[in-house]
Amino acid sequence: MSSNEVSVKFQPQGKTVRVAPGATMREAVARAGILIDYPCGGQGTCGKCRIRMVGAAPTPTEAESGLLGADALRNGERLACRCSVDQDTTVEIPGTSVLGASYQILGSRGNASKTADPPIWKQYVEMPPPTREDDTPDFERMKRVLGDIRTDTALLRVLPSRLRANGFKGTAVISDDRLIDFEEGNTEAECYAVAFDIGTTTLVAVLLDLVNGGECATASRINPQTGYGDDVLSRILYARDTEGGLERLQEEVLTAVREMITELAAQAGIAPDRIYEVTFAGNTTMQSLLARIDPSPLGESPFVPACREGLVLPSDDFNLGIHPRGQAYILPVIGGFVGGDTVAGILATALDDDPNPVLLVDIGTNGEIVLHHEGRLQATSCAAGPAFEGARIAHGMRAAVGAIEKVRLNAAVEYDTIGGARPVGLCGSALIDVAAELLRNGLVLSQGMMLDADSAPGNVAESVRGRLVVSDDEPAFAIATAEETGIQGPVLLFQRDIRELQLATAAIKAGIAIVLRRAGLQVQDLKRVLVAGAFGNYIRCNNAQRMGLLPHAIDESRIFFVGNTSLAGAQFAATSRNARRRAEEIARAAEHVDLSQDVHFHMEFSEAIFFPEPTEESE
Amino acid sequence: MSSNEVSVKFQPQGKTVRVAPGATMREAVARAGILIDYPCGGQGTCGKCRIRMVGAAPTPTEAESGLLGADALRNGERLACRCSVDQDTTVEIPGTSVLGASYQILGSRGNASKTADPPIWKQYVEMPPPTREDDTPDFERMKRVLGDIRTDTALLRVLPSRLRANGFKGTAVISDDRLIDFEEGNTEAECYAVAFDIGTTTLVAVLLDLVNGGECATASRINPQTGYGDDVLSRILYARDTEGGLERLQEEVLTAVREMITELAAQAGIAPDRIYEVTFAGNTTMQSLLARIDPSPLGESPFVPACREGLVLPSDDFNLGIHPRGQAYILPVIGGFVGGDTVAGILATALDDDPNPVLLVDIGTNGEIVLHHEGRLQATSCAAGPAFEGARIAHGMRAAVGAIEKVRLNAAVEYDTIGGARPVGLCGSALIDVAAELLRNGLVLSQGMMLDADSAPGNVAESVRGRLVVSDDEPAFAIATAEETGIQGPVLLFQRDIRELQLATAAIKAGIAIVLRRAGLQVQDLKRVLVAGAFGNYIRCNNAQRMGLLPHAIDESRIFFVGNTSLAGAQFAATSRNARRRAEEIARAAEHVDLSQDVHFHMEFSEAIFFPEPTEESE
């Protein structure tokens, strides 16, 4: 662990995260996976993101002084969007600030908040049993208490006996205005959803407690479809050209999804049938394969998706192993190459409400780029390949225990691993670090060539120079030695890994350039750049700029790392129907920019293949 | 066939029916199963039920002269609700008068009529294929032409390849605002629905052509659930007390339903997957068993149904063999004993719009009675038993070929059979005839005892007297002799059959008495009595009055036989979403009267068990 980070512990969620000193509380909250609502877009004007520092609190900002009042400030109250973290601290998040907390209120008061508009809610009810004088139908009797809800024939089949076995007392479960269950006793406290990010390479899932708004468990694994091809196109072709191929790809991802749900429920110690809702965000192809929608047209020009709208499916269509009358929601898409993951990202960052121009760059196997400028949302994607997720890199791996996540070259090679374990391989953030550090030290040239130990500049420390080795006839840089890794060999970055990074970086860099050019903007015009991605939590901004992934012409203070926004957006959609309506609006409003159509793309790409020259660097 | 009836042939439906001279054209239209809209409730004020007499037309009524104008009258145009039938005639029904005809207009013009509001519509569309300049998602492209419709994931799974295989040309099928198919070529002309009356004893179905509003085929059979008990209660107990009993009862009726659909499609020579909608009307228990909803609470006080609302199910839930993404609709119910068949009856007769007080009496295994009086609908039911459907009667049968349907005792015994075949048994209308005729001739006394040949009054013709026989030690009346029936024995009405008729009649008679008493009305106050039922088409009013089934204190001219209104209402619901909304309103508005709760019921019933004395008879 790096010693210059500070820890923030959140109550009542009981989660602790580590951030750089000076990070905003908003960033720490996001890293903890807690969903706080920022109706004003984090501008410090609405006061909705109130938190309380337990112990020493930073000096209040002007916005906080204006909105909170002296008593609250003395009590340690601050705004998550305004205050920063300077030291180890414990923070209380009041229920009123957390998205999803309204369910508890809803459940116990039976009074649906129009603002929260949750897709699922529960209410314990006690009804007078029917008599000859009051022979209202069972479902009608429930509507007297629950308001105007809809029937579900599958539930009606068992409702009469369920009501009578429990003396007309129990907990009503309402999903999307539909009564889906009547559970024995008071189960209001047990109401869960799962949000999935269905990446081309990686699947990530979060179990959400809809009562307190907290995360109960997370799980991730490699998308088993990678066995049928690393990229989107190879899977489309497999589905199109192989008999039963589409069904097989669907079954592969669904099997993983089911296992992850089982794993999440076990981690949290809950019954899987108390999960009522699962939301999925992924690129258009991943979502098509998940829903078993013929993806063939996504594989050929003009790359048209079957449908823009989000899809609602009964959970038994997917056989998810959650509540049998639960639902799955798949986010809407913008176009053939810009999918539900991008819609989720715009939703999670409220990009369309942000001061603009603002750019969202989501770095994954497909890089997605969205520009919000003067009310327009322009979205595109580029095939970056899976390098930043550790795939196609000889010693690459995803951000799991033992992954090297930070690398520094000073007098010696220094690195941190996830979980402090012995090093196993390199995750995305380490790749960015090591590429930047090799460039900075002149060990890799801007065209991408890795020098050998003899050609390295004279000012490079001997211990670093010694890491320039040849392995299997290929130049490589040893980040961890065989001694450090223990039983396995060294962790190496090969010349061809540098080439993969160049291609991945160039795709994103060219994409950003084209999007800005079409809007008549310069990088300098951007008020903010939001960088999303699940490729390791600790990307270092100056290193991403040094190796060209992020534009160097923008000040580091305007670059924000927002984590896995696809997952965050899926979480929003799992907890609020209002968020789903916003997602549908975003999908309709955003314009789909086809990079391959742009006359400048190939030129931009061929220029972007070079790493920035040292002189270009701003530091 | 009776010689004093006249035939009416309908064009373009090609159907011929026979009615008594002087019957209204509305009655003839209803008997032909043609759905005409009477927005004014048949009051002759809206002019919507315009028809044209080919050949001689009756003298126009005042209402017709006022609404139609001289040219139209000369052209033979009349109103179905006003004109009567005096001789054999041919009638043209213009498309504008027929419910459902609007689909044709809708299909070819692509302009949904808000009035018709059909649950299914088709539209042939030709769309420009996607290009790089126009990469709108497939479903979005369809919405450009079809308006704001909803997706169906099952269809989306095949839509992309379907659109491309057909060059983006084909026929969209929209069910309940949901795109359920995109068919090759122009299939606008092939759009069908089936309406079912699910009776306790009898199942009846009609295949409807939604393009011209006509009936294409009909089918009927005994409800196979009768093997588990004649009445509603025995089936409820079977479902409740037998492991898998509910599932078995559902499967029994669904098997018959599937076979009937296959039979209807074969009769009409259409592909079953061009049937997109099936509607069901039955009593509350029949509908519960059909939907596999636990009927136990319907078997014990206070007899509460699971749900009042109509149910919509995907056709594959029932595995109906129609279009795989079609729908089933089960009508809403009023209470535990007054079901979707009664709602359908009120809907079909527009009882709630009729001049009132008006009574609807539906004679089936359950007799349902609805009074509309000063804006209130009061509905009840009584367990009449299946006698009027020919069951529990020794030589009883349903109204099928060979059934004796009319009986007259004059100098000799005269009868008509359905289809003019040799007599096989007695259907409901013949039972009413023979009971009335035996009473009229003094061969059965008012307490129900059948005399023997020696005790018969002296004025009875010898040939009639000779029919009073003893069979298996029981008095019986031979309606058809062994010679007349051919290879089988005579068709007899036994003493115990008379007892069954007494019980069935008494239940309905007592029900009518209680409903009127609660409303503070006398029989004489009723403006009309509508008699519904599928128990033979040719009930004779004076005979039904003579044997006490219908009140004798009301003039025959105010009694109307309206046929199977449960089926007619199901047909309305199959052709119009507006009709469904009306059905839901009716179910909500109607009051459920529990006869068994009424202190007067047992007294009324024990009095009603006697046939009316000859002196009570009005003729």
Side-chain angles (χ1 to χ4, degrees), chain B residues 119-432:
Chain B
I120 313 145
W121 52 281
K122 283 188 160 195
Q123 185 171 340
Y124 176 73
V125 293
E126 297 192 358
M127 296 166 286
T131 60
R132 293 209 144 195
E133 290 66 41
D134 173 20
D135 62 353
T136 295
D138 290 347
F139 184 67
E140 207 76 7
R141 186 171 302 274
M142 299 200 66
K143 289 211 287 186
R144 281 189 199 158
V145 187
L146 298 167
D148 193 17
I149 51 173
R150 294 177 298 141
T151 56
D152 179 292
T153 307
L155 175 64
L156 284 176
R157 286 179 175 152
V158 296
L159 186 65
S161 53
R162 193 76 66 81
L163 284 169
R164 284 161 185 79
N166 293 289
F168 286 80
K169 294 173 190 162
T171 305
V173 187
I174 294 99
S175 162
D176 217 4
D177 284 343
R178 199 167 41 97
L179 181 72
I180 62 162
D181 212 345
F182 186 75
E183 297 173 339
E184 189 179 344
N186 186 338
T187 64
E188 282 182 355
E190 300 165 50
C191 192
Y192 301 91
V194 175
F196 270 91
D197 167 36
I198 303 290
T200 310
T201 306
T202 313
L203 309 177
V204 191
V206 180
L207 177 68
L208 299 164
D209 182 334
L210 296 179
V211 175
N212 65 24
E215 279 181 30
C216 309
T218 58
S220 71
R221 58 175 69 188
I222 295 294
N223 186 337
Q225 291 176 347
T226 47
Y228 300 82
D230 273 351
D231 55 23
V232 159
L233 186 61
S234 54
R235 294 188 212 162
I236 294 171
L237 297 181
Y238 181 83
R240 191 190 71 183
D241 301 334
T242 314
E243 177 73 26
L246 174 57
E247 290 69 21
R248 199 168 314 150
L249 289 177
Q250 185 197 31
E251 200 44 38
E252 288 281 2
V253 68
L254 280 183
T255 302
V257 161
R258 286 176 204 128
E259 288 170 4
M260 289 168 80
I261 290 173
T262 307
E263 182 187 330
L264 291 169
Q267 268 186 47
I270 66 155
D273 65 358
R274 295 286 150 95
I275 300 171
Y276 303 93
E277 195 82 21
V278 182
T279 56
F280 295 96
N283 64 50
T284 308
T285 301
M286 289 307 107
Q287 293 193 169
S288 280
L289 296 176
L290 178 76
R292 209 173 68 244
I293 291 173
D294 177 8
S296 309
L298 299 175
E300 52 203 49
S301 176
F303 313 103
V304 172
C307 173
R308 171 172 296 147
E309 288 93 337
L311 300 178
V312 176
L313 294 103
S315 71
D316 59 359
D317 189 301
F318 280 173
N319 194 15
L320 290 178
I322 64 166
H323 188 281
R325 288 176 293 280
Q327 275 191 171
Y329 176 71
I330 304 178
L331 271 88
V333 307
I334 293 170
F337 283 141
V338 185
D341 47 359
T342 304
V343 172
I346 299 170
L347 180 69
T349 59
L351 191 77
D352 50 341
D353 276 343
D354 242 29
N356 63 77
V358 54
L359 199 68
L360 172 65
V361 182
D362 189 351
I363 299 168
T365 309
N366 275 306
E368 282 100 9
I369 297 153
V370 188
L371 174 69
H372 170 214
H373 180 42
E374 291 175 351
R376 285 175 72 188
L377 284 170
Q378 293 185 283
T380 193
S381 76
C382 44
F388 291 119
E389 290 169 82
R392 278 201 213 148
I393 298 294
H395 292 173
M397 68 179 290
R398 66 197 171 97
V401 172
I404 294 173
E405 57 173 355
K406 284 190 184 176
V407 180
R408 291 169 301 281
L409 305 192
N410 294 316
V413 176
E414 296 165 25
Y415 57 82
D416 297 338
T417 63
I418 296 178
R422 272 180 182 255
V424 180
L426 296 160
C427 76
S429 56
L431 288 166
I432 291 167

Side-chain angles (χ1 to χ4, degrees), chain B residues 384 388 500-510 547-550 608 611:
Chain B
F388 291 119
E500 287 288 345
L501 280 177
Q502 280 179 285
L503 290 172
T505 303
I508 287 166
K509 207 168 156 182
M547 56 87 74
L549 181 62
L550 297 178
F611 289 121

